[in-house]
Amino acid sequence: MERESIRVTRSISIPRSEIGFRYSRSSGPGGQHAQKTDTRVEATFDVEASQTLSEAQKRRVIARAGPVLRAVAQDERSQWRNRELATERLVAALREALRVPRKRRPTKPSKAAVKRRLEQKRRRGDLKRQRRTLE
């Protein structure tokens, strides 16, 4: 992976400089190490201030995910590893917000499928009719 930029989609790569990081003490296990080091990482990406995204892309991301994307990682004991995880989560959120949903094309069942369904219903009805007791 290139160090200066992060690939989001085939056509979009964002520079690492556009991602901000905040560090704090992580909760959970880790003993003395966790109480002394800032291993929790919060990665932020300001969509409006981004130089890479076009205006249309910015509008789409803001509408779907908000003006600032955030991702937090405190899974690992290493700050570096948590930083990588937070970056991955941020990129995944950005990729999802940029995704254009496909238009639904209405379809209808084929004549053969309708015929099969009605024939099956008819057979089932006949079977149930045969089971009835004659009184």
Side-chain angles (χ1 to χ4, degrees):
M1 183 185 341
E2 213 176 317
R3 296 303 304 155
E4 308 84 47
S5 64
I6 302 162
R7 167 101 7 146
V8 179
T9 63
R10 266 186 257 133
S11 58
I12 300 170
S13 290
I14 57 170
R16 284 187 181 271
S17 59
E18 288 190 6
I19 298 176
F21 294 100
R22 277 195 5 217
Y23 306 98
S24 59
R25 299 223 167 113
S26 181
S27 63
Q32 188 176 359
H33 175 78
Q35 276 94 55
K36 288 186 169 288
T37 54
D38 293 341
T39 53
R40 180 182 181 272
V41 177
E42 181 182 349
T44 57
F45 176 69
D46 188 353
V47 179
E48 292 166 332
S50 175
Q51 300 292 311
T52 330
L53 301 176
S54 69
E55 288 304 314
Q57 290 168 335
K58 286 180 186 180
R59 281 195 304 272
R60 179 178 296 122
V61 173
I62 290 169
R64 295 181 78 184
V68 178
L69 295 176
R70 279 191 175 74
V72 176
Q74 59 181 1
D75 310 17
E76 305 286 333
R77 288 184 55 172
S78 155
Q79 185 189 80
W80 179 83
R81 183 65 187 124
N82 280 334
R83 185 177 161 140
E84 292 300 309
L85 283 170
T87 305
E88 286 172 20
R89 291 172 187 170
L90 192 75
V91 168
L94 182 59
R95 188 177 296 128
E96 184 58 33
L98 282 167
R99 197 172 55 80
V100 181
R102 283 208 182 118
K103 293 268 190 271
R104 184 191 175 277
R105 284 202 194 122
T107 58
K108 64 179 188 179
S110 66
K111 286 182 180 179
V114 171
K115 187 176 175 182
R116 275 194 308 270
R117 190 183 113 255
L118 293 175
E119 185 56 42
Q120 191 177 5
K121 281 171 65 107
R122 214 170 284 118
R123 267 190 257 118
R124 187 81 179 141
D126 290 344
L127 182 67
K128 289 183 173 190
R129 216 173 290 116
Q130 287 173 6
R131 286 193 200 138
R132 287 190 200 151
T133 55
L134 300 171
E135 292 181 40

